[in-house]
Amino acid sequence: MAASSIMQDHNDFDVALTKYRVAASVTPESHAMWNNIGMCFFGKKKYVAAISCLKRAHYLAPFEWRTCYNLGLAHLTMHQYASAFHFISAAINLKPKFAPLFMLLGVALTHLEDPNNAKQAYEQAISIDSDNPMTYLNYAIMLFNNGEKSQAAAQYSKFELHNKANTLNDPDVNALVTKLGPILHMDRRNVYCCTVKLS
């Protein structure tokens, strides 16, 4: 299974899955293996298969926070926000000092139309780890979509500060940055007239 994990880390998901199939015949009750298979499918954007495998991992090890985290992430990607909230909350109970969980909780709560608790989730994420640029970006998007332009601009400035090295290589993230950045750098009058919706 170690070789499969190495392949997975290098985004060679097809080779990793081939090796995991061999491992599955030897250790079919390994929650770590099913978690990794699920994340291979996630990397291949086969989200239904990913959730199926992750749920098997969760069945085998219900108190494994990584599996709950991955299930939350997969459900968020599928726009299944109530299910995402359920698994992210479970992961937080198991790993309460892991900042990305609170960031994902903020995203889920935003889509569940609970901005006040979403803000608290983002603030908690920042209090645990103030260096993650993705937290500031997601916080800025939530505030912007909620009509709080000046606060969104403040969080976006923090995102830029913490992303000086431009280490985010996700094309979806870069598209959001390209869209949101110029809007929040406009003068206040123009910003309040803007109707761009980000998600």
Short mmCIF file of all heavy atoms in Angstrom, two decimals, residues 45-75:
data_model
loop_
_atom_site.label_atom_id
_atom_site.label_comp_id
_atom_site.label_asym_id
_atom_site.label_seq_id
_atom_site.Cartn_x
_atom_site.Cartn_y
_atom_site.Cartn_z
N LYS A 45 -11.90 13.29 -10.19
CA LYS A 45 -13.19 13.98 -10.30
C LYS A 45 -14.36 13.01 -10.46
O LYS A 45 -15.39 13.35 -11.05
CB LYS A 45 -13.18 15.02 -11.42
CG LYS A 45 -12.11 16.10 -11.25
CD LYS A 45 -12.22 17.19 -12.28
CE LYS A 45 -11.07 18.18 -12.20
NZ LYS A 45 -10.92 18.83 -10.89
N LYS A 46 -14.19 11.80 -9.94
CA LYS A 46 -15.29 10.82 -9.91
C LYS A 46 -15.85 10.82 -8.49
O LYS A 46 -15.53 9.96 -7.66
CB LYS A 46 -14.77 9.44 -10.33
CG LYS A 46 -14.32 9.41 -11.79
CD LYS A 46 -13.91 8.02 -12.23
CE LYS A 46 -13.53 8.00 -13.71
NZ LYS A 46 -13.14 6.65 -14.17
N TYR A 47 -16.69 11.82 -8.22
CA TYR A 47 -17.05 12.13 -6.85
C TYR A 47 -18.02 11.13 -6.24
O TYR A 47 -17.95 10.86 -5.04
CB TYR A 47 -17.63 13.55 -6.79
CG TYR A 47 -16.66 14.59 -7.30
CD1 TYR A 47 -17.00 15.43 -8.35
CD2 TYR A 47 -15.39 14.72 -6.73
CE1 TYR A 47 -16.09 16.38 -8.83
CE2 TYR A 47 -14.49 15.66 -7.20
CZ TYR A 47 -14.85 16.48 -8.25
OH TYR A 47 -13.95 17.41 -8.71
N VAL A 48 -18.90 10.54 -7.03
CA VAL A 48 -19.83 9.55 -6.48
C VAL A 48 -19.05 8.32 -6.02
O VAL A 48 -19.28 7.80 -4.92
CB VAL A 48 -20.91 9.17 -7.52
CG1 VAL A 48 -21.78 8.03 -7.01
CG2 VAL A 48 -21.77 10.38 -7.87
N ALA A 49 -18.10 7.88 -6.83
CA ALA A 49 -17.26 6.74 -6.45
C ALA A 49 -16.42 7.10 -5.23
O ALA A 49 -16.22 6.27 -4.33
CB ALA A 49 -16.35 6.34 -7.62
N ALA A 50 -15.93 8.33 -5.18
CA ALA A 50 -15.12 8.77 -4.05
C ALA A 50 -15.92 8.70 -2.76
O ALA A 50 -15.46 8.14 -1.74
CB ALA A 50 -14.64 10.21 -4.28
N ILE A 51 -17.15 9.22 -2.78
CA ILE A 51 -17.98 9.21 -1.57
C ILE A 51 -18.31 7.78 -1.16
O ILE A 51 -18.30 7.45 0.03
CB ILE A 51 -19.26 10.05 -1.81
CG1 ILE A 51 -18.89 11.54 -1.86
CG2 ILE A 51 -20.29 9.79 -0.71
CD1 ILE A 51 -20.03 12.44 -2.29
N SER A 52 -18.57 6.91 -2.12
CA SER A 52 -18.88 5.51 -1.82
C SER A 52 -17.72 4.85 -1.08
O SER A 52 -17.91 4.18 -0.05
CB SER A 52 -19.19 4.77 -3.11
OG SER A 52 -19.42 3.40 -2.85
N CYS A 53 -16.50 5.05 -1.58
CA CYS A 53 -15.32 4.45 -0.94
C CYS A 53 -15.05 5.07 0.43
O CYS A 53 -14.70 4.38 1.39
CB CYS A 53 -14.10 4.60 -1.84
SG CYS A 53 -14.20 3.65 -3.37
N LEU A 54 -15.20 6.39 0.51
CA LEU A 54 -14.97 7.07 1.79
C LEU A 54 -15.98 6.64 2.84
O LEU A 54 -15.65 6.51 4.02
CB LEU A 54 -15.01 8.59 1.58
CG LEU A 54 -13.82 9.18 0.82
CD1 LEU A 54 -14.11 10.62 0.43
CD2 LEU A 54 -12.54 9.09 1.63
N LYS A 55 -17.22 6.39 2.41
CA LYS A 55 -18.23 5.93 3.38
C LYS A 55 -17.91 4.52 3.87
O LYS A 55 -18.19 4.18 5.02
CB LYS A 55 -19.62 6.01 2.77
CG LYS A 55 -20.12 7.45 2.74
CD LYS A 55 -21.59 7.57 2.40
CE LYS A 55 -22.04 9.01 2.55
NZ LYS A 55 -23.44 9.22 2.15
N ARG A 56 -17.30 3.71 2.99
CA ARG A 56 -16.88 2.38 3.47
C ARG A 56 -15.76 2.53 4.49
O ARG A 56 -15.75 1.85 5.52
CB ARG A 56 -16.41 1.53 2.28
CG ARG A 56 -15.98 0.14 2.71
CD ARG A 56 -15.97 -0.83 1.57
NE ARG A 56 -15.65 -2.17 2.03
CZ ARG A 56 -15.64 -3.25 1.27
NH1 ARG A 56 -15.98 -3.15 0.00
NH2 ARG A 56 -15.32 -4.42 1.75
N ALA A 57 -14.83 3.45 4.23
CA ALA A 57 -13.75 3.72 5.20
C ALA A 57 -14.34 4.22 6.52
O ALA A 57 -13.91 3.81 7.60
CB ALA A 57 -12.78 4.75 4.62
N HIS A 58 -15.34 5.08 6.42
CA HIS A 58 -15.99 5.63 7.62
C HIS A 58 -16.71 4.53 8.40
O HIS A 58 -16.69 4.52 9.64
CB HIS A 58 -16.97 6.73 7.21
CG HIS A 58 -17.65 7.39 8.36
ND1 HIS A 58 -16.98 8.08 9.34
CD2 HIS A 58 -18.98 7.46 8.69
CE1 HIS A 58 -17.84 8.55 10.22
NE2 HIS A 58 -19.06 8.18 9.86
N TYR A 59 -17.32 3.61 7.69
CA TYR A 59 -17.98 2.47 8.35
C TYR A 59 -16.96 1.63 9.12
O TYR A 59 -17.24 1.17 10.24
CB TYR A 59 -18.70 1.62 7.30
CG TYR A 59 -19.24 0.31 7.83
CD1 TYR A 59 -20.43 0.27 8.56
CD2 TYR A 59 -18.57 -0.89 7.61
CE1 TYR A 59 -20.93 -0.93 9.07
CE2 TYR A 59 -19.05 -2.08 8.10
CZ TYR A 59 -20.23 -2.11 8.83
OH TYR A 59 -20.72 -3.29 9.33
N LEU A 60 -15.79 1.45 8.52
CA LEU A 60 -14.75 0.62 9.15
C LEU A 60 -14.06 1.33 10.32
O LEU A 60 -13.58 0.68 11.25
CB LEU A 60 -13.71 0.21 8.11
CG LEU A 60 -14.20 -0.74 7.01
CD1 LEU A 60 -13.18 -0.84 5.88
CD2 LEU A 60 -14.50 -2.13 7.60
N ALA A 61 -14.00 2.66 10.26
CA ALA A 61 -13.32 3.43 11.32
C ALA A 61 -14.08 4.75 11.52
O ALA A 61 -13.65 5.80 11.02
CB ALA A 61 -11.86 3.69 10.94
N PRO A 62 -15.20 4.72 12.24
CA PRO A 62 -16.05 5.90 12.36
C PRO A 62 -15.42 7.07 13.12
O PRO A 62 -15.90 8.19 13.02
CB PRO A 62 -17.29 5.38 13.09
CG PRO A 62 -16.86 4.11 13.75
CD PRO A 62 -15.79 3.53 12.90
N PHE A 63 -14.33 6.81 13.86
CA PHE A 63 -13.70 7.88 14.64
C PHE A 63 -12.39 8.36 14.00
O PHE A 63 -11.57 9.00 14.66
CB PHE A 63 -13.45 7.42 16.08
CG PHE A 63 -14.73 7.05 16.79
CD1 PHE A 63 -14.99 5.74 17.14
CD2 PHE A 63 -15.69 8.02 17.06
CE1 PHE A 63 -16.17 5.40 17.77
CE2 PHE A 63 -16.87 7.69 17.70
CZ PHE A 63 -17.12 6.37 18.05
N GLU A 64 -12.21 8.07 12.72
CA GLU A 64 -11.02 8.55 11.99
C GLU A 64 -11.35 9.92 11.39
O GLU A 64 -12.14 10.03 10.46
CB GLU A 64 -10.65 7.55 10.90
CG GLU A 64 -9.52 7.98 9.99
CD GLU A 64 -8.29 8.44 10.72
OE1 GLU A 64 -7.70 7.64 11.48
OE2 GLU A 64 -7.92 9.63 10.55
N TRP A 65 -10.72 10.97 11.93
CA TRP A 65 -11.09 12.33 11.53
C TRP A 65 -10.75 12.62 10.07
O TRP A 65 -11.46 13.39 9.41
CB TRP A 65 -10.41 13.36 12.44
CG TRP A 65 -8.93 13.53 12.24
CD1 TRP A 65 -7.94 12.86 12.89
CD2 TRP A 65 -8.30 14.44 11.34
NE1 TRP A 65 -6.72 13.27 12.44
CE2 TRP A 65 -6.90 14.25 11.49
CE3 TRP A 65 -8.75 15.36 10.41
CZ2 TRP A 65 -5.96 14.97 10.74
CZ3 TRP A 65 -7.83 16.08 9.67
CH2 TRP A 65 -6.45 15.89 9.84
N ARG A 66 -9.68 12.01 9.55
CA ARG A 66 -9.31 12.29 8.15
C ARG A 66 -10.40 11.85 7.18
O ARG A 66 -10.67 12.52 6.19
CB ARG A 66 -7.99 11.59 7.81
CG ARG A 66 -6.78 12.21 8.46
CD ARG A 66 -5.50 11.45 8.09
NE ARG A 66 -4.36 11.95 8.82
CZ ARG A 66 -4.01 11.57 10.06
NH1 ARG A 66 -4.75 10.66 10.69
NH2 ARG A 66 -2.95 12.08 10.65
N THR A 67 -11.01 10.72 7.46
CA THR A 67 -12.08 10.23 6.59
C THR A 67 -13.28 11.17 6.66
O THR A 67 -13.90 11.49 5.63
CB THR A 67 -12.49 8.80 6.98
OG1 THR A 67 -11.33 7.95 6.92
CG2 THR A 67 -13.55 8.26 6.04
N CYS A 68 -13.62 11.63 7.87
CA CYS A 68 -14.72 12.60 8.01
C CYS A 68 -14.40 13.89 7.25
O CYS A 68 -15.26 14.46 6.57
CB CYS A 68 -14.96 12.91 9.48
SG CYS A 68 -15.61 11.52 10.44
N TYR A 69 -13.14 14.33 7.36
CA TYR A 69 -12.71 15.52 6.63
C TYR A 69 -12.87 15.33 5.13
O TYR A 69 -13.43 16.19 4.43
CB TYR A 69 -11.24 15.81 6.98
CG TYR A 69 -10.58 16.91 6.17
CD1 TYR A 69 -10.65 18.24 6.58
CD2 TYR A 69 -9.87 16.62 5.01
CE1 TYR A 69 -10.04 19.25 5.86
CE2 TYR A 69 -9.26 17.61 4.28
CZ TYR A 69 -9.33 18.93 4.71
OH TYR A 69 -8.72 19.92 3.98
N ASN A 70 -12.39 14.19 4.62
CA ASN A 70 -12.47 13.92 3.19
C ASN A 70 -13.91 13.79 2.71
O ASN A 70 -14.26 14.26 1.62
CB ASN A 70 -11.68 12.65 2.85
CG ASN A 70 -10.18 12.86 2.98
OD1 ASN A 70 -9.70 13.98 2.90
ND2 ASN A 70 -9.45 11.78 3.20
N LEU A 71 -14.77 13.19 3.54
CA LEU A 71 -16.19 13.09 3.19
C LEU A 71 -16.82 14.49 3.14
O LEU A 71 -17.62 14.79 2.25
CB LEU A 71 -16.93 12.21 4.19
CG LEU A 71 -16.90 10.72 3.89
CD1 LEU A 71 -17.32 9.90 5.11
CD2 LEU A 71 -17.81 10.38 2.70
N GLY A 72 -16.46 15.33 4.10
CA GLY A 72 -16.96 16.70 4.08
C GLY A 72 -16.54 17.43 2.83
O GLY A 72 -17.35 18.12 2.18
N LEU A 73 -15.28 17.27 2.45
CA LEU A 73 -14.76 17.91 1.24
C LEU A 73 -15.47 17.40 -0.01
O LEU A 73 -15.85 18.18 -0.89
CB LEU A 73 -13.25 17.65 1.14
CG LEU A 73 -12.50 18.31 -0.01
CD1 LEU A 73 -12.58 19.83 0.09
CD2 LEU A 73 -11.04 17.84 0.00
N ALA A 74 -15.67 16.09 -0.08
CA ALA A 74 -16.33 15.49 -1.24
C ALA A 74 -17.78 15.96 -1.36
O ALA A 74 -18.26 16.29 -2.44
CB ALA A 74 -16.27 13.96 -1.16
N HIS A 75 -18.49 16.01 -0.23
CA HIS A 75 -19.88 16.48 -0.26
C HIS A 75 -19.96 17.96 -0.61
O HIS A 75 -20.89 18.38 -1.32
CB HIS A 75 -20.57 16.19 1.07
CG HIS A 75 -21.01 14.77 1.24
ND1 HIS A 75 -21.98 14.19 0.45
CD2 HIS A 75 -20.59 13.80 2.10
CE1 HIS A 75 -22.17 12.94 0.83
NE2 HIS A 75 -21.33 12.67 1.82
#
